Amino acid sequence: LLHSGDNSEVYRAIRVADNQPVVLKKLKSPYPTPEQIRRYRQEYQLIGSLQSPNVIRAYALEEQRKSFAIILEDVGGIAIGQWLAQREQSLTIGEFLPLALKIAEGLKQLHAHHIIHKDINPSNIVVNPATGVVKIIDLGIATQLDRETPLLKAPRELEGTLPYLSPEQTGRMNRTLDYRSDFYSLGATFYEMLT
């Protein structure tokens, strides 16, 4: 088990057919709602439409006893937030810049496909420190739109990770949400990586 959230559990596994390491992201509930199923299908389709070296690849969407699991590539990585917490010293500019370039390139590829991630943060970017591979993960709340008009919601009902949300994503700014919201979240992530 790598992560257990409100809706999903994420596991590291080995695919029996070819001994390939994979990551399984499965719905936590044995009886998921139609909305949860729709989001999993959408996430799989969005990831499947990409061929970016800096965005996680999806291999399959499997149905398991009325629930679903997405089989994703395993880069042997760790979330950047966890990796930074384990380090004894902060990142140098020389270490930060190559990571930042790869993250920005992944985001560029998402935006080129009109995908707004809506949850860029240190938990949704994985790095393999040994190989230098960096991948953006978790497109669970992503949308494939040029813009979106968020509705005003209570803070506990907002989609995304609150400390990284752009003001317009909260629905309190009377502004439409577009790809620039990801830049706001990326800036907050870079700030955390550097400090």
Side-chain angles (χ1 to χ4, degrees), residues 118-119 158-167 169-170 181 184-185:
K118 295 178 20 183
D119 200 15
L158 291 172
E159 291 181 320
T161 308
L162 190 57
Y164 305 92
L165 288 183
S166 66
Q169 195 170 340
T170 66
S181 180
Y184 181 97
S185 302

Side-chain angles (χ1 to χ4, degrees), residues 3-4 25 34 37 51 64 70 79 121 128 156 186:
H3 174 75
S4 182
K25 180 179 178 182
I37 292 170
Q51 294 297 322
Q64 299 177 327
I70 302 173
N121 69 70
N128 183 325
R156 66 184 173 283
L186 183 63

Side-chain angles (χ1 to χ4, degrees), residues 10-172:
V10 180
Y11 295 91
R12 185 165 270 143
I14 300 291
R15 189 167 49 193
V16 176
D18 58 2
N19 286 333
Q20 176 77 24
V22 293
V23 171
L24 300 175
K25 180 179 178 182
K26 68 184 249 5
L27 284 165
K28 201 171 193 177
S29 170
Y31 301 102
T33 66
E35 175 63 16
Q36 289 172 317
I37 292 170
R38 183 196 65 76
R39 283 186 180 222
Y40 258 55
R41 289 179 194 264
Q42 177 180 306
E43 181 175 4
Y44 174 70
Q45 289 171 349
L46 289 177
I47 295 171
S49 70
L50 299 170
Q51 294 297 322
S52 171
N54 299 110
V55 178
I56 204 75
R57 288 181 38 210
Y59 295 135
L61 177 68
E62 300 284 335
E63 187 172 353
Q64 299 177 327
R65 299 185 199 117
K66 299 183 183 181
S67 190
F68 286 87
I70 302 173
I71 294 117
L72 303 160
E73 75 175 313
D74 183 3
V75 297
I78 183 171
I80 280 188
Q82 288 179 305
W83 178 61
L84 292 172
Q86 292 173 357
R87 288 174 53 99
E88 293 180 11
Q89 57 189 11
S90 57
L91 287 175
T92 66
I93 295 296
E95 292 170 316
F96 168 76
L97 287 175
L99 294 173
L101 287 171
K102 290 177 184 178
I103 296 166
E105 183 61 34
L107 199 55
K108 174 185 168 188
Q109 291 299 315
L110 288 174
H111 292 166
H113 286 83
H114 304 283
I115 297 170
I116 306 169
H117 189 284
K118 295 178 20 183
D119 200 15
I120 295 290
N121 69 70
S123 297
N124 288 335
I125 302 167
V126 295
V127 61
N128 183 325
T131 63
V133 171
V134 176
K135 299 273 185 175
I136 295 174
I137 63 168
D138 196 2
L139 278 75
I141 63 171
T143 57
Q144 193 166 22
L145 301 169
D146 290 331
R147 334 194 121 91
E148 180 178 291
T149 305
L151 301 173
L152 181 62
K153 296 180 182 176
R156 66 184 173 283
E157 296 175 10
L158 291 172
E159 291 181 320
T161 308
L162 190 57
Y164 305 92
L165 288 183
S166 66
E168 62 272 15
Q169 195 170 340
T170 66
R172 288 164 170 73

